[in-house]
């Protein structure tokens, strides 16, 4: 037995996850950067106040007390400890967040755009129908010619067609001489001296194949059932229509309901499938808005338009076909990223598995984390303000001030550590926060 090693330990998915989590915990959120800038002015201000107080009052103990208790220790640690706790909790739950900035942005998400194949569906399509529309060709012939063309295609829908042909004993002999993908339409393949087209009606129109009303009707019927129809044509003759269906994920509808519960205003489907297919899937899962027959550049424009409309957009896709939209969205989310180096390296959030419910969990956790950050800032500032007032009122000594100050640091840390607990009611808490 021979085994080929494709990478050493540092190249494995686990190593990439560890490196990404470490980098994420070091990355600063916008609020943290603001606190750092605030501290750069606050600390010298406190030193100047202590110096002036000592000179004016002649009381060195009072000046030192001010200097010690006004130290912004709890304020400085309030954001980093919450970020580390939030990212750590997410990583333990299989949600890889790239950094504090993306965690904070995720808390503001108001719209989610999702791809259909591999996101709402399982990404494992199967051949369901072979419809003949030409008396000269039976079902087996239609499947054989379709498989002969798809044998040279890298599209995910090619696999179930070739597999079905193999199971029925009409597997293609080799791959076509030439295969030309037509984005958003299908493929054109050259097998021997014959041209095979397999795709939608616009593909046939592009190659000037005459319309076949029976084929169009069969394609529309399959699409209305949530199946992806593909018309098969040999040279200028339409042979039939094949239907491929991808199983809907059982938790797709619950995911959308939970996203709405976390405060997401709308969930939009962006798919290259026909509108009939998209609408059939959308009805089952409760999609708010559907955009169908989309090319990669169309998805990019749809995301850009939502941003222009004032939405903070998260785009969920496979990281390859949806790359332009993922890059443009405020937050790019890769589904099933385990084993996908591209997704782990480039996505803002990678869901390490195929559990759709991780997406609303990520949004809910982000909102809880931002809520804790605000609580920590309030605790830190209130503590310093009360101590300063107490010092000038004469009721707070240096030892008492130090005790209260250190206690506030512990309170901030303990408050952030609450994020490390699992919470079944996270979406509800996030909404309330």
């Amino acid at each position: 037995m021979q085994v080929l090693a494709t990478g050493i330990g540092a190249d494995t998915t686990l190593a990439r996850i560890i490196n990404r989590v470490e980098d994420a915990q070091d990355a600063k959120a916008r609020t943290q950067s603001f606190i750092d800038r605030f501290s750069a002015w606050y600390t010298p201000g406190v030193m100047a106040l202590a110096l002036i107080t000592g000179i004016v009052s002649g009381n060195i103990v009072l000046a030192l007390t001010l200097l010690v208790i006004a130290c912004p220790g709890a304020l400085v640690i309030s954001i980093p400890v919450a970020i580390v706790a939030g990212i750590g909790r997410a990583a333990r739950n299989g949600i890889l967040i790239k950094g504090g900035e993306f965690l904070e942005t995720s808390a503001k998400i108001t719209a989610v755009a999702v791809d259909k194949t591999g996101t709402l569906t399982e990404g494992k399509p199967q051949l369901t129908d072979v419809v003949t529309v030409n008396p000269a060709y039976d079902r087996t012939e239609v499947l054989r010619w379709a498989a002969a063309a798809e044998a040279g295609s890298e599209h995910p829908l090619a696999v179930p067609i070739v597999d079905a042909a193999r199971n029925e004993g009409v597997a293609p002999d080799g791959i076509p001489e030439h295969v030309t993908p037509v984005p958003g339409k299908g493929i054109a393949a050259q097998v021997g001296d014959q041209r095979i087209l397999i795709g939608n009606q616009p593909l046939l129109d592009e190659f000037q194949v005459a319309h076949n009303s029976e084929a169009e009707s069969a394609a529309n019927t399959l699409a209305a059932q949530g199946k992806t129809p593909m018309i098969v044509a040999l040279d200028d003759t339409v042979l039939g229509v094949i239907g491929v269906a991808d199983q809907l994920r059982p938790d797709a509808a619950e995911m959308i309901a939970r996203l709405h519960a976390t405060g997401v205003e709308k969930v939009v489907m962006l798919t290259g499938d026909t509108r009939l297919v998209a609408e059939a899937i959308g009805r089952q899962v409760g999609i708010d808005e559907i955009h169908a027959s989309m090319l990669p550049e169309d998805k990019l424009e749809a995301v850009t338009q939502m941003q222009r409309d004032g939405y903070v957009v998260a785009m969920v896709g496979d990281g390859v076909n949806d790359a332009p939209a993922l890059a443009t969205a405020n937050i790019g989310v890769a589904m099933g990223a385990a084993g996908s180096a591209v997704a782990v390296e480039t996505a803002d959030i990678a869901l390490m598995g195929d559990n759709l419910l991780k997406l609303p969990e990520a949004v809910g956790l982000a909102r809880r984390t931002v809520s804790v950050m605000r609580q920590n800032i309030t605790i830190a500032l209130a503590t310093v303000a009360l101590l300063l007032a107490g010092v000038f009122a004469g009721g707070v000594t240096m030892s008492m001030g130090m005790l209260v100050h250190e206690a506030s640091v512990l309170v901030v840390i303990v408050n952030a550590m609450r994020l490390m607990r699992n919470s079944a009611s996270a979406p509800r808490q996030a909404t309330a926060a």
Side-chain angles (χ1 to χ4, degrees):
M1 178 180 179
Q2 293 182 337
V3 178
L4 175 64
T6 59
I8 60 174
D11 298 326
T12 63
T13 298
L14 178 60
R16 290 195 300 271
I17 294 171
I18 293 172
N19 291 335
R20 182 58 69 196
V21 171
E22 291 174 347
D23 292 343
Q25 291 179 333
D26 291 336
K28 293 183 178 180
R30 283 191 291 269
T31 303
Q32 184 179 346
S33 298
F34 169 77
I35 292 297
D36 290 345
R37 292 194 300 271
F38 174 79
S39 299
W41 290 93
Y42 176 84
T43 302
V46 168
M47 295 176 66
L49 176 63
L51 180 61
I52 293 171
T53 300
I55 294 174
V56 172
S57 67
N59 189 337
I60 300 300
V61 174
L62 176 62
L64 290 175
T65 302
L66 281 175
L67 185 63
V68 170
I69 68 173
C71 174
L75 182 62
V76 171
I77 201 176
S78 61
I79 304 304
V81 70
I83 292 292
V84 169
I87 290 177
R89 173 74 268 173
R92 286 172 60 184
N93 288 0
I95 303 166
L96 186 60
I97 302 176
K98 192 174 182 179
E101 177 184 354
F102 303 105
L103 179 65
E104 193 171 6
T105 302
S106 297
K108 304 174 184 177
I109 291 172
T110 54
V112 175
V114 297
D115 183 34
K116 180 181 74 68
T117 304
T119 303
L120 295 177
T121 61
E122 294 182 349
K124 300 175 182 177
Q126 296 181 342
L127 182 71
T128 58
D129 300 86
V130 179
V131 181
T132 62
V133 298
N134 191 315
Y137 297 88
D138 60 16
R139 179 188 183 282
T140 301
E141 283 293 295
V142 174
L143 179 59
R144 182 174 71 84
W145 283 112
E150 293 289 4
S153 173
E154 297 180 354
H155 196 279
L157 295 183
V159 175
I161 297 172
V162 175
D163 287 346
R166 184 178 296 111
N167 292 337
E168 296 191 21
V170 290
D173 184 16
I175 61 175
E177 287 81 357
H178 300 286
V179 177
T180 304
V182 183
K185 298 179 181 179
I187 63 169
Q190 192 70 30
V191 178
D193 58 354
Q194 293 182 294
R195 183 193 66 196
I196 307 172
L197 301 177
I198 177 168
N200 53 24
Q201 186 59 51
L203 176 70
L204 272 60
D205 294 340
E206 182 172 325
F207 285 86
Q208 299 180 345
V209 176
H211 280 229
N212 184 298
S213 58
E214 189 177 350
E216 290 185 49
S217 176
N220 290 336
T221 299
L222 292 173
Q225 297 171 359
K227 302 172 183 177
T228 300
M230 289 172 279
I231 302 174
V232 182
L234 182 62
D235 293 325
D236 295 325
T237 304
V238 176
L239 307 185
V241 182
I242 59 177
V244 176
D246 196 357
Q247 186 70 30
L248 188 67
R249 292 182 187 272
D251 51 3
E254 185 178 356
M255 175 202 70
I256 294 172
R258 290 195 184 186
L259 283 173
H260 287 146
T262 63
V264 174
E265 296 177 22
K266 70 175 182 178
V267 181
V268 181
M269 181 197 296
L270 306 179
T271 178
D273 259 327
T274 64
R275 173 156 291 276
L276 285 174
V277 175
E279 288 178 346
I281 297 296
R283 283 193 300 269
Q284 296 180 59
V285 299
I287 288 286
D288 300 310
E289 190 175 304
I290 295 172
H291 297 272
S293 301
M294 304 194 83
L295 299 175
E297 55 268 30
D298 298 326
K299 295 183 180 182
L300 170 62
E301 176 57 31
V303 169
T304 303
Q305 183 59 52
M306 282 191 283
Q307 291 173 325
R308 285 196 292 262
D309 292 339
Y311 292 99
V312 178
V313 183
M315 173 67 194
V316 188
D318 59 15
V320 180
N321 295 330
D322 304 309
L326 284 167
T328 302
N330 300 94
I331 293 293
V333 182
M335 276 292 301
S340 173
V342 174
V344 173
E345 293 296 332
T346 63
D348 301 326
I349 297 178
L351 307 181
M352 308 306 294
D354 289 326
N355 184 353
L356 281 179
L357 300 184
K358 294 294 182 183
L359 180 58
E361 181 181 342
V363 176
L365 178 60
R367 299 194 182 194
R368 289 168 54 212
T369 301
V370 169
S371 177
V372 167
M373 288 163 56
R374 291 170 180 164
Q375 293 167 14
N376 282 352
I377 292 173
T378 301
I379 292 169
L381 291 177
T383 300
V384 171
L386 290 173
L387 286 176
L388 287 175
V391 169
F392 284 112
V396 175
T397 63
M398 180 181 293
S399 58
M400 182 185 298
M402 282 296 297
L403 178 62
V404 174
H405 184 274
E406 294 307 316
S408 71
V409 173
L410 292 176
V411 169
V412 163
I413 294 174
V414 171
N415 189 44
M417 289 301 100
R418 292 189 301 115
L419 293 168
M420 299 300 292
R421 296 181 304 174
N422 276 321
S423 177
S425 58
R428 189 176 295 107
Q429 291 174 351
T431 304

